[in-house]
Amino acid sequence: MFNEKQTRQIQSKGIGIETIEMQLTNFRNGFPFAKLDRPAIVGDGIEKLDDNTLGSYINLFDKETKNLKVIKFVPASGAASRMFKNLYEFLEDSKISGRSDMDSFSDKGFNSVYNFLYSNWKFAFYKDLNAVLEKDGFHLKQLFRDQDYSVIIDYLLNDKGLGYGNLPKGLLKFHDYNDGARVPLEEHLVEAINYGRSGNVANVHFTVSPEHLTKFQEQVEKVKEMYEDRFGIKFHISFSMQKPSTDTIAVDMDNEPFVDKDGNLLFRPGGHGALIENLNDLDGDIVFIKNIDNVVPDRLKDETTKYKKAIGGFLLSVQNELFNHLVKLDQENPGKDALAAAKKFAEEKIKISIPEDYYLLSESARKDYLISQLNKPIRVCGMVKNEGEPGGGPFWVQNSKGEVSLQIVESSQVDQNDPEQKEISNAATHFNPVDLVCGIKNYKGESFDLHAFVDPETGFISVKSKDGKNLKAQELPGLWNGAMANWITFFVEVPIITFNPVKTVNDLLREQHQPE
């Protein structure tokens, strides 16, 4: 199928031919829809913590993490360009029409651009924008009087000014403080001091795009010592990039490999599911996962810290009990009492459906079965009440074996043409804001091979374009969807204040992102 040049291209990425063949099969056959059993709700799949339980989990977390390595894992490869979609459209329209005056806002649906411009002083990057304009002889007040708005936007987005459209989201100024503005990278460092530390060391790992690595490293060097001195702590900050071996081949609309004019195959990034590789490389006991743009100023961090520690304590509580059972099961002859206790724990706490033929098995086979079900990585996922924000929902999902487990499911994984499945999907009361804490070591202190717990049938296929031609792209099973499908999973309700993403630049105008 592939010529010598294309074969070398595949090998240079570290991708096996069998992997490419599997991806091509996925394009031809598609991915099956998730089979929803019912939505997970409070009392049936989602835990709600009362004040006493919340406090006990926080105390447990504070006590036990003194002797554990805690890591804060932050996917940070997102480009900022999507934040400025409407600004780009306005800029392009003004070039074509020659208009960037007041009337063009309402006439052409650019109300969000109007809100951006006439709230410009509220953004943390306002002073920087004003400075680069004045350097080239422009003045904001005069530009507003002349209704020459395209100059302001041009200097914000492009390299003649701040170049924000070409930067990663993690390096834009989000929040203003008396001593200066902070970018999201800095807010995550401060968060790590509150709940992502091991003793006097805060461990933070960012996954970044190769083209932005140097800029992230420069920002760290710029601020690291300042925060260490201010908070009396040491940072261990590391970076990784999505591996070329996780790229997926693109195909044309006939599901044949897409070949460019030079005869090269086209590969595309495998999506956030590829980050299971980066997570797998970490050596940590407890790993928190949170997106780069979900940050708040210091005045609102207390609630986030409280619930991060609480779900961390929840994880440790479950893990301690789980490890006790596994240590007993690991004995040569654990005995009936140990088997019965582990089975009860698996059914009542982990919500594992024990098969009917379990009691037909020998004691040795029962032991092996229970170990196979319990010796898995654990994730505790924060769930917020659904108030219209996008995000994967919590559901009880049935797999091909008829087993039902808790899963995070995106709307694209649901068959919207099936009335029953659509009804279950619409009944979801919560969603996951990418708020996870993970236990990635087993009861012996060994790191799990996380590849072993991925469901390969939960990928995504979308239509893109290249050089004016349509193509199909394939994303790997999502990091918190299929990549963790076979983990032990718990959902815990957390307050909406812990979720404050910045998807568009005007989100920074929300009260949560403004100074007090």
Side-chain angles (χ1 to χ4, degrees):
M1 175 182 290
F2 302 110
N3 61 35
E4 185 177 343
K5 178 183 179 181
Q6 293 167 346
T7 301
R8 287 199 304 270
Q9 186 185 359
I10 294 170
Q11 291 172 342
S12 71
K13 285 183 165 290
I15 305 175
I17 293 294
E18 67 281 358
T19 299
I20 298 294
E21 291 174 346
M22 182 183 72
Q23 291 172 5
L24 293 174
T25 298
N26 290 337
F27 278 119
R28 289 190 290 268
N29 297 339
F31 290 100
F33 289 113
K35 188 175 181 181
L36 306 182
D37 183 80
R38 62 190 188 275
I41 59 175
V42 172
D44 182 26
I46 300 178
E47 306 274 348
K48 186 177 178 66
L49 309 181
D50 59 32
D51 289 343
N52 289 334
T53 309
L54 189 73
S56 66
Y57 284 139
I58 291 171
N59 291 336
L60 179 65
F61 179 84
D62 287 338
K63 176 184 176 183
E64 296 210 0
T65 51
K66 292 176 182 177
N67 301 310
L68 297 173
K69 184 175 182 181
V70 182
I71 301 176
K72 190 167 167 29
F73 181 88
V74 185
S77 58
S81 54
R82 284 172 288 183
M83 280 178 59
F84 305 111
K85 179 176 179 289
N86 291 339
L87 299 186
Y88 274 114
E89 290 174 351
F90 177 83
L91 203 58
E92 186 62 25
D93 182 82
S94 68
K95 289 178 183 176
I96 296 171
S97 66
R99 291 179 57 193
S100 65
D101 52 72
M102 183 72 73
D103 293 336
S104 64
F105 292 126
S106 56
D107 289 352
K108 299 187 177 181
F110 289 125
N111 291 328
S112 64
V113 179
Y114 176 89
N115 292 337
F116 165 78
L117 288 165
Y118 280 85
S119 303
N120 70 88
W121 57 274
K122 293 184 178 180
F123 292 100
F125 52 76
Y126 165 75
K127 292 178 182 177
D128 291 348
L129 179 59
N130 196 32
V132 294
L133 284 165
E134 289 188 351
K135 184 179 177 183
D136 283 358
F138 296 105
H139 297 277
L140 269 175
K141 289 183 179 179
Q142 188 61 47
L143 289 170
F144 271 90
R145 279 195 292 267
D146 296 341
Q147 297 189 36
D148 201 352
Y149 305 117
S150 60
V151 172
I152 301 171
I153 295 172
D154 193 17
Y155 269 74
L156 171 71
L157 298 180
N158 296 315
D159 289 338
K160 66 172 67 175
L162 296 183
Y164 266 28
N166 301 317
L167 288 176
K169 195 182 288 188
L171 297 180
L172 307 187
K173 290 187 176 180
F174 269 27
H175 301 140
D176 236 338
Y177 293 87
N178 291 333
D179 59 351
R182 282 186 202 164
V183 303
L185 176 145
E186 294 173 75
E187 297 291 19
H188 279 284
L189 296 184
V190 176
E191 272 196 24
I193 294 167
N194 295 332
Y195 64 82
R197 60 195 289 177
S198 306
N200 197 43
V201 177
N203 303 290
V204 190
H205 183 88
F206 296 94
T207 63
V208 301
S209 299
E211 64 270 24
H212 295 141
L213 175 61
T214 300
K215 286 186 171 66
F216 271 103
Q217 291 173 327
E218 289 172 350
Q219 183 67 23
V220 165
E221 288 306 309
K222 181 179 175 183
V223 302
K224 179 183 175 186
E225 189 174 329
M226 174 188 70
Y227 286 117
E228 287 180 334
D229 290 343
R230 181 183 300 179
F231 295 101
I233 196 168
K234 289 294 181 183
F235 281 108
H236 180 254
I237 301 167
S238 56
F239 298 94
S240 65
M241 292 162 285
Q242 187 170 311
K243 299 179 181 180
S245 60
T246 64
D247 290 351
T248 58
I249 194 168
V251 299
D252 60 25
M253 301 310 288
D254 294 320
N255 297 318
E256 295 298 326
F258 188 98
V259 180
D260 66 18
K261 61 182 185 298
D262 298 319
N264 296 310
L265 298 169
L266 178 65
F267 288 88
R268 295 182 59 85
H272 61 69
L275 298 183
I276 197 70
E277 295 278 350
N278 306 64
L279 184 61
N280 197 51
D281 289 341
L282 294 184
D283 180 25
D285 298 294
I286 302 295
V287 180
F288 287 94
I289 302 177
K290 188 181 181 190
N291 276 345
I292 187 69
D293 64 349
N294 183 14
V295 287
V296 290
D298 287 351
R299 66 184 178 85
L300 296 177
K301 281 190 174 69
D302 286 350
E303 199 74 356
T304 293
T305 298
K306 181 166 70 173
Y307 276 88
K308 286 290 187 296
K309 287 185 174 185
I311 63 173
F314 186 102
L315 173 74
L316 290 168
S317 175
V318 171
Q319 193 171 257
N320 290 343
E321 196 173 353
L322 177 70
F323 285 1
N324 285 335
H325 287 296
L326 285 167
V327 167
K328 293 175 183 176
L329 290 174
D330 201 22
Q331 305 301 312
E332 186 173 349
N333 296 300
K336 292 182 179 180
D337 288 346
L339 287 171
K343 174 181 173 291
K344 182 179 180 182
F345 175 77
E347 286 181 306
E348 296 182 1
K349 189 70 175 182
I350 311 297
K351 308 301 182 185
I352 294 172
S353 300
I354 305 296
E356 293 180 4
D357 60 358
Y358 173 81
Y359 288 105
L360 300 178
L361 302 175
S362 65
E363 281 195 15
S364 177
R366 291 181 197 175
K367 164 189 161 179
D368 291 343
Y369 170 78
L370 289 170
I371 290 176
S372 72
Q373 296 299 304
L374 298 177
N375 192 27
K376 296 180 177 183
I378 307 173
R379 58 173 174 162
V380 179
C381 312
M383 291 288 165
V384 299
K385 290 181 179 178
N386 197 332
E387 296 185 358
E389 297 280 0
F395 295 93
W396 292 96
V397 178
Q398 187 178 123
N399 65 15
S400 58
K401 298 178 184 177
E403 300 166 333
V404 176
S405 62
L406 288 171
Q407 301 291 338
I408 297 170
V409 180
E410 306 289 340
S411 58
S412 59
Q413 295 176 266
V414 179
D415 185 357
Q416 300 294 336
N417 293 319
D418 183 324
E420 183 181 357
Q421 290 291 290
K422 186 175 181 179
E423 183 179 357
I424 295 173
S425 176
N426 291 339
T429 57
H430 292 67
F431 74 95
N432 171 53
V434 190
D435 182 5
L436 296 87
V437 59
C438 307
I440 57 175
K441 288 189 175 180
N442 66 18
Y443 64 104
K444 297 178 181 178
E446 304 162 335
S447 295
F448 284 106
D449 176 8
L450 301 181
H451 303 98
F453 304 93
V454 175
D455 180 357
E457 295 188 347
T458 52
F460 302 85
I461 293 173
S462 56
V463 176
K464 307 287 184 181
S465 64
K466 170 74 172 176
D467 299 330
K469 298 178 181 178
N470 284 340
L471 60 85
K472 293 182 184 178
Q474 187 173 149
E475 289 194 18
L476 300 172
L479 181 59
W480 39 87
N481 309 104
M484 296 181 176
N486 295 312
W487 291 36
I488 292 173
T489 297
F490 293 92
F491 296 150
V492 175
E493 185 180 77
V494 296
I496 191 69
I497 189 61
T498 63
F499 180 56
N500 292 281
V502 177
K503 301 304 180 187
T504 73
V505 65
N506 283 2
D507 287 338
L508 290 171
L509 297 175
R510 292 181 179 181
E511 179 188 353
Q512 295 92 326
H513 294 288
Q514 290 292 304
E516 204 163 15

